[in-house]
Amino acid sequence: MAKFKALRYQRWAILWTAITLVLCNINLSGGDSAGFFFTGFDKLAHLGFFYVLTILLFYGKIKYQHNYSFRSLTIFKIILISAVIGGGIELLQWKVFTYRSAEWWDFACDMIGCLMGVFSYVLLHLSNYNEKKV
């Protein structure tokens, strides 16, 4: 039951994941989704989606713990969750939504966005820790 209680704090991350799944798998008329607004927009969108997802996952974890503690296991779990979601999106694009193309570069951008979110969390944690220390 404690696991379901923890999910309550992840509602924003779950909602964002659903939005990301829909937006990454919609059929963009015109066939060339890579240049929707400009060339490379698709990669930038993947990066942004996963940056926000990572931040929301950390936010939910902080709210669940009621503190801002730094834990390597939490970081590993969030990277793993992001990798599974990113890989799942690419598998869906490859096998189910065949009008979209599955690309390794999309997955790489997912992971870069995730690592940017982890970097932001670590940086904010260290600045918060240093402020309390003074």
Side-chain angles (χ1 to χ4, degrees), residues 55-88:
I55 296 300
L56 291 174
L57 287 168
F58 277 120
Y59 176 77
K61 185 66 174 172
I62 291 167
K63 288 294 188 183
Y64 175 69
Q65 292 176 174
H66 301 295
N67 66 28
Y68 193 69
S69 66
F70 183 87
R71 300 179 70 185
S72 299
L73 184 59
T74 299
I75 292 172
F76 175 75
K77 286 179 184 178
I78 288 176
I79 291 171
L80 185 63
I81 289 168
S82 295
V84 167
I85 293 170

Side-chain angles (χ1 to χ4, degrees), residues 6-20 52-53 55-57 59-60 63:
L7 283 178
R8 178 174 60 134
Y9 292 97
Q10 294 294 347
R11 66 179 164 260
W12 291 111
I14 293 168
L15 177 64
W16 186 254
T17 300
I19 290 169
T20 299
V52 172
L53 175 62
I55 296 300
L56 291 174
L57 287 168
Y59 176 77
K63 288 294 188 183

